[in-house]
Amino acid sequence: MSSQIVQDVSDVHDLKTDDVVEQSLEYTARPNLLNWVACILAGLGPWLYGYDSGIISSVVSAEYDQFQSYFNNPSSAMSGTIVSVIYAGAVLGGFGMGAADRWGRQKIIIYYSVISIVGCVLQAAAVNTAMMIVGRLVAGFAMGALTSLATLYQAEISPTQYRGMMTAATKWVNNWGFFSANWIGYGCQFFRTSAQWRVPLAIQIVPPAILLVGMIFVPESPRFLLSVGRVDQARAALQKLRSRRPEHAAAIEAELMDIKTQLEWEKDNLTSRWVDLVNTSPNLRRLSVAVMVQGMAVFNGIVVINYYAPTIYSSLGFSGQKVLLINGLWGICGPLASFIYMVYGAEHFGRRNPMIYCSLIMAALISVTTACTKQFADPSYQSEAVGGVGIASMFLFGCAFNSSFGPIAWLYQIEIFPMNLRAKGAGVATAATWLATLILLELAPIAFDNIGWKFFICFIVFNCSNSVLCWFFCPETAGKTLEEIGVLFGDTNVQVSHQEHFGNANVAVPLEHKPHEERIEHAGA
């Protein structure tokens, strides 16, 4: 079978294994400029999530008096609905990821970009609360899919040793969305017309418009193209993303052969149904871990801090324009920390250890914020120093989150599923993320009104439990190919990726050339 595969994937039908090895030794698969551009471009989908997290907290705050008066001073419950309804749409959008298996990663990202633009236009042009809610629901549907589709696309077009770095670009771009939203929110508060809130909401239209146009010019995922039998297009896509130099041709053919071998085996032996996510122990474990990790990324407290930061700053003794100014400064934590993780931490620290240890760090930091907020529960209490300590601990909390769960949660859910279930599994985990966020944001304003600072105690407990759960249930995936990770989740029918490692070079060797005792049959991609 493997000799037929070599013949199918190579333009040079007499390609020899020795040639593959010899030429691969001269070339370590690495992303070229187009590969980076494609990854960062895909990150514009999650940019909407980051931007909305920052801008809506400003728009519904007391400082945006034009919004308050235009919508007749909405109650806390109505404000909570306006903020969180975007996640109701996102839950549905998460399940919509399954369409990526039929239409491809590239096309489905383009389709959802159009939906995102429609939702953003409805928000900016809203004439009543109902129109605002509908706009956020539509935008949420697109956001729910685009956030995870970006990571799926990035993971599938990235070389193994750069996968962590390149998929972390999603969170980096997402954080720039949040950062820009905070400063745009600060600047727009000075408008004295409905432009105060319409302009910042209208700015949301720009990134999905760029994404819509840009995705037309970048390659489709080679893995998807191979999964539907379009070998020549997959080869061309991989060459665009790696190298067109003739001396690298054999190595690229080897990488293509490696993926195709796995996908052909899956096509003959596996199905891609929703029920397959739970009908074997390894797949059920994957799904449980993916949902668990995404839940941890929500219930550690970052969602509440992002969306209700002005409320928290007020509870620490700050008011007026200073609240939105601090919110703008808060936004720099994400891009800074996620950039450090992207360029260094992803492959040096991996996935598991940052989740374990940063959870404990976040528990300690939010304990400090809780203690400071408790002091201000007394209306007569005044201390700018104590308030400053509370905010500083929040800022450090943001850095810890964006060095761990921020980028890792989205990457991890993509890495652990095999190709035949990758889009569906990530879709379910993503839907769970948005559902958890929806519930938490609906509860948050009620909790702040009724129990105040005690609400933060929940996040202390959650972060401590997150560390324990990661220790026992989250294996390390860094440095392994997407085709090798199945072994970590208990697959006994997994053909570990047949790449031989020569120093820094990955050399694919046909299965017929491997010693019999080294062959391990498998089902994961």
Side-chain angles (χ1 to χ4, degrees), residues 276-277 279-288 416-417 486 489-493:
D276 292 327
L277 290 169
N279 66 359
T280 69
S281 179
N283 286 345
L284 181 60
R285 182 185 172 193
R286 286 183 177 96
L287 184 64
S288 299
I416 65 177
F417 284 103
F489 285 85
D491 284 336
T492 56
N493 56 342

Side-chain angles (χ1 to χ4, degrees), residues 3 30 119 187 193 225 228 231 294 311 315 357 377 382 392 433 443 455 472 486 513 515:
S3 60
R30 54 185 176 273
T193 66
L225 292 171
V228 293
V231 179
Q294 285 286 24
T311 300
S315 70
Y357 298 113
Q382 296 290 329
T433 301
L443 292 175
F455 186 37
F472 286 106
H513 292 281

Side-chain angles (χ1 to χ4, degrees), residues 35-260:
N35 205 157
W36 275 108
V37 169
C39 282
I40 294 173
L41 180 68
L44 290 177
W47 186 95
L48 178 63
Y49 173 35
Y51 185 84
D52 184 81
S53 300
I55 204 60
I56 200 64
S57 63
S58 296
V59 166
V60 301
S61 69
E63 283 71 23
Y64 267 58
D65 56 337
Q66 297 299 312
F67 178 86
Q68 299 295 329
S69 61
Y70 192 93
F71 292 102
N72 299 316
N73 296 307
S75 64
S76 295
M78 178 55 70
S79 294
T81 299
I82 291 172
V83 168
S84 61
V85 72
I86 197 170
Y87 293 104
V91 171
L92 301 176
F95 284 108
M97 272 191 65
D101 286 334
R102 172 175 295 184
W103 293 326
R105 286 47 166 148
Q106 184 186 35
K107 284 185 178 179
I108 202 67
I109 289 174
I110 291 173
Y111 297 156
Y112 276 112
S113 297
V114 174
I115 296 172
S116 177
I117 292 170
V118 172
C120 294
V121 168
L122 288 173
Q123 291 178 70
V127 295
N128 52 44
T129 304
M131 186 173 175
M132 174 66 72
I133 290 175
V134 170
R136 290 185 62 72
L137 193 66
V138 172
F141 180 71
M143 183 185 78
L146 287 173
T147 303
S148 196
L149 279 168
T151 312
L152 172 63
Y153 177 73
Q154 291 166 332
E156 290 188 351
I157 67 173
S158 302
T160 297
Q161 63 269 40
Y162 290 90
R163 189 177 65 242
M165 178 187 299
M166 298 185 77
T167 52
T170 288
K171 189 59 183 176
W172 186 61
V173 176
N174 167 272
N175 282 325
W176 279 114
F178 183 76
F179 174 77
S180 61
N182 288 336
W183 285 105
I184 290 170
Y186 176 73
C188 289
Q189 68 175 313
F190 300 107
F191 291 145
R192 306 320 308 159
T193 66
S194 64
Q196 185 187 61
W197 56 272
R198 292 191 191 275
V199 169
L201 293 180
I203 289 173
Q204 295 179 102
I205 300 168
V206 177
I210 297 173
L211 180 62
L212 168 63
V213 175
M215 286 303 296
I216 298 172
F217 300 100
V218 296
E220 175 60 274
S221 161
R223 280 181 168 85
F224 169 75
L225 292 171
L226 285 172
S227 72
V228 293
R230 291 150 64 179
V231 179
D232 289 339
Q233 293 180 43
R235 179 183 297 109
L238 200 58
Q239 289 171 343
K240 289 179 182 178
L241 295 166
R242 301 289 188 269
S243 171
R244 291 181 179 275
R245 296 174 62 179
E247 63 267 29
H248 297 156
I252 291 173
E253 289 294 343
E255 184 178 355
L256 195 73
M257 179 184 67
D258 192 46
I259 299 169
K260 189 173 186 292

Side-chain angles (χ1 to χ4, degrees), residues 255-272:
E255 184 178 355
L256 195 73
M257 179 184 67
D258 192 46
I259 299 169
K260 189 173 186 292
T261 302
Q262 177 61 41
L263 294 181
E264 285 197 343
W265 189 94
E266 288 184 2
K267 185 176 181 179
D268 293 339
N269 295 274
L270 302 176
T271 57
S272 183

